[in-house]
Amino acid sequence: MQSGSEEGKLRLRLYGRGYCHLCDEMIAALAPLSEEYDFSMEIIDVDADAALEQRFGLLVPVLMHADTELCHYHLDAPKVRAFLDKIR
């Protein structure tokens, strides 16, 4: 099983905030990629954890696979596609 996967399914994490319009935009932009690559996405509210809030600050949204940062602020679809092609 790959790191960052659950029951064999690839899982990405999006660190963001509930009131963040960039987070909402990245979630919407990820929907077609999720269908194409069949990954699940865990959305983590950095404001719910002081350590995450300090770690990410104003950098959100941040899209990650395990410890690898794929992009932040806006979806870099070509970079994410290249990464997903490489690990699947």
Side-chain angles (χ1 to χ4, degrees), residues 15-21 23-24 27 43-48 60:
Y15 293 90
R17 292 188 161 86
Y19 57 86
C20 169
H21 74 280
C23 301
D24 295 338
I27 291 167
I43 301 170
I44 300 168
D45 185 350
V46 298
D47 291 329
V60 296

Side-chain angles (χ1 to χ4, degrees), residues 1-85:
M1 188 181 314
Q2 294 175 332
S3 173
S5 65
E6 184 176 299
E7 297 179 21
K9 187 171 184 176
L10 181 65
R11 183 180 60 188
L12 302 181
R13 289 191 176 116
L14 182 96
Y15 293 90
R17 292 188 161 86
Y19 57 86
C20 169
H21 74 280
L22 292 176
C23 301
D24 295 338
E25 289 172 11
M26 188 178 288
I27 291 167
L30 281 163
L33 281 177
S34 176
E35 291 178 20
E36 182 179 342
Y37 288 91
D38 192 31
F39 62 81
S40 65
M41 189 168 54
E42 180 181 7
I43 301 170
I44 300 168
D45 185 350
V46 298
D47 291 329
D49 182 314
L52 291 176
E53 186 176 14
Q54 184 173 357
R55 176 181 174 190
F56 292 107
L58 297 176
L59 188 65
V60 296
V62 178
L63 182 64
M64 298 187 73
H65 174 266
D67 292 329
T68 302
E69 181 181 321
L70 302 175
C71 55
H72 60 269
Y73 297 136
H74 302 282
L75 179 64
D76 184 342
K79 181 179 178 182
V80 173
R81 274 194 172 91
F83 178 82
L84 294 173
D85 285 338

